Amino acid sequence: MVDMEERGKIVVIVAPSGTGKSSLISRLKGDFPDLLESVSHTTRSPREGEVNGTHYFFTKVGLFKEMIEAGTFIEWAEVHSNYYGTSKEFIDTALKKGQSLIFDLDVQGADSFKDYFGDKANIIFIAPPSLEDLEKRLRGRATDKDEIIKRRLNNAKKEILRKNDYDYCLVNDEFESSYAKLKEIVGKVLGV
Ligand code: ADP
Ligand code: 5GP
């Protein structure tokens, strides 16, 4: 069980796939080098350039289910027909050391974090400027097949309805100005 008085802070980024959260998180890690990103487990296949243990722990479905049974995850969810989960041990160890953490979760994961951590979880929803822009970004990234892009766009419509349910909401329209707003929020949460 995590001690809620631990000094480490929890930042959660929630955004429909393709909004730009990986790009934004990557910049944040440069500006806040002490902010450690949690590496989730997923049953989806790696995209080109993704490295096991860095981007995700790529895990077979059977093993993932065994890990659920074993209580490995603080939360897990089925997203776009794959499973994703956050390791409990990773969080406990990091928070005990006073380490601040950043998570990239879907809305289900963000809701679980709010239930588990309460106000200790600082959840930032990042919205795309429009569904048209989101589709352009997903297609421009060129990492997913058409069927997968359609599934992600459908899911995005539902996720966007949740945009005002969290602690902060911002739109990733022009990258640099959106990043500046995000950096200000994260700086405030971390107290730096
Ligand atoms: P996510 O992690 O949310 O799925 P990515 O960070 O992979 O999204 O970004 C999806 C695509 O959109 C990438 O090709 C990225 O370069 C591009 N992108 C990110 N932010 C912006 C922005 N503000 N304006 C235009 N394109 C963007
Ligand atoms: P992608 O396949 O594009 O990397 O991620 C798809 C979705 O899964 C994104 O919305 C991302 O935030 C979410 N996700 C990634 N890791 C986790 C996790 O550990 N738990 C949950 N609930 N969602 C996750």
Side-chain angles (χ1 to χ4, degrees):
M1 178 70 191
V2 168
D3 175 355
M4 298 299 174
E5 297 307 312
E6 299 289 357
R7 286 167 295 129
K9 305 278 192 262
I10 293 177
V11 177
V12 178
I13 305 289
V14 190
S17 178
T19 301
K21 63 186 171 306
S22 307
S23 316
L24 291 163
I25 290 173
S26 160
R27 276 286 287 279
L28 279 176
K29 290 197 297 185
D31 282 331
F32 300 100
D34 292 338
L35 192 57
L36 185 67
E37 187 177 8
S38 164
V39 181
S40 296
H41 287 73
T42 182
T43 60
R44 87 151 159 74
S45 309
R47 294 186 186 123
E48 207 178 308
E50 281 184 330
V51 176
N52 188 42
T54 300
H55 297 91
Y56 282 105
F57 292 106
F58 295 99
T59 309
K60 297 254 183 300
V61 178
L63 177 59
F64 195 98
K65 288 186 175 166
E66 281 172 30
M67 291 170 82
I68 294 173
E69 289 303 312
T72 304
F73 300 119
I74 203 161
E75 67 77 35
W76 64 271
E78 193 179 340
V79 192
H80 316 305
S81 308
N82 290 301
Y83 292 113
Y84 294 81
T86 310
S87 153
K88 196 181 279 175
E89 194 186 333
F90 170 84
I91 299 182
D92 285 353
T93 311
L95 289 180
K96 279 198 184 99
K97 286 194 233 158
Q99 176 83 58
S100 291
L101 297 170
I102 186 161
F103 298 86
D104 162 355
L105 304 175
D106 84 317
V107 290
Q108 303 169 79
D111 293 341
S112 301
F113 261 51
K114 220 38 176 183
D115 289 344
Y116 192 88
F117 291 108
D119 289 343
K120 190 170 172 67
N122 298 279
I123 304 183
I124 307 166
F125 190 101
I126 303 179
S130 67
L131 283 170
E132 291 71 32
D133 283 293
L134 185 65
E135 181 163 2
K136 271 190 219 146
R137 288 181 196 177
L138 280 168
R139 295 198 184 284
R141 187 169 68 183
T143 51
D144 300 307
K145 293 197 188 106
D146 192 52
E147 180 204 331
I148 292 178
I149 290 179
K150 287 195 175 119
R151 196 184 293 154
R152 284 172 182 248
L153 281 169
N154 260 327
N155 214 28
K157 287 180 198 157
K158 292 180 221 146
E159 289 180 318
I160 288 168
L161 297 175
R162 302 286 319 277
K163 69 183 166 93
N164 293 317
D165 293 348
Y166 299 105
D167 300 302
Y168 305 90
C169 176
L170 66 88
V171 177
N172 180 20
D173 36 28
E174 196 279 313
F175 188 86
E176 290 303 325
S177 58
S178 308
Y179 177 69
K181 287 181 201 148
L182 179 64
K183 187 179 166 190
E184 195 183 327
I185 295 170
V186 172
K188 198 167 88 180
V189 168
L190 298 181
V192 293

